[in-house]
Amino acid sequence: EIEKNAKKISLLELTERTCKWPVGDPATEDFWFCGLPSQAGKPYCEAHVGVAFQPMIKGVIGANKLLLKFELDKINFNS
């Protein structure tokens, strides 16, 4: 898991050179940012860039799978 190596920094500790990947619920005290060194010209570290900037075809397939799961969750198969 990517977050195991994170520095777990607060909003006030972010700089232009730190990964700005948010983790957790911003409404809780457990919310933090990755904080690892960000890639040049990107807001995230190498690992989070790989998650955030996926080729379009993967994004489309992932979105379709998510939509299908959402639709299947709405169906009551026991009725």
Side-chain angles (χ1 to χ4, degrees):
E1 187 172 286
I2 299 169
E3 280 73 27
K4 287 182 181 178
N5 297 323
K7 290 189 175 181
K8 300 183 180 182
I9 63 174
S10 71
L11 177 66
L12 298 176
E13 296 171 295
L14 287 176
T15 71
E16 62 184 45
R17 294 190 174 114
T18 56
C19 178
K20 294 156 189 70
W21 189 268
V23 179
D25 182 347
T28 68
E29 290 184 24
D30 293 333
F31 180 73
W32 45 273
F33 294 90
C34 173
L36 290 173
S38 59
Q39 286 193 326
K42 302 274 193 237
Y44 308 126
C45 64
E46 181 179 359
H48 285 123
V49 163
V51 175
F53 301 101
Q54 296 184 14
M56 184 53 127
I57 189 67
K58 281 187 176 180
V60 169
I61 292 170
N64 285 339
K65 284 182 181 178
L66 186 61
L67 181 59
L68 177 60
K69 180 186 179 330
F70 176 76
E71 291 299 323
L72 287 175
D73 286 347
K74 292 191 317 187
I75 299 172
N76 183 354
F77 290 102
N78 296 324
S79 54

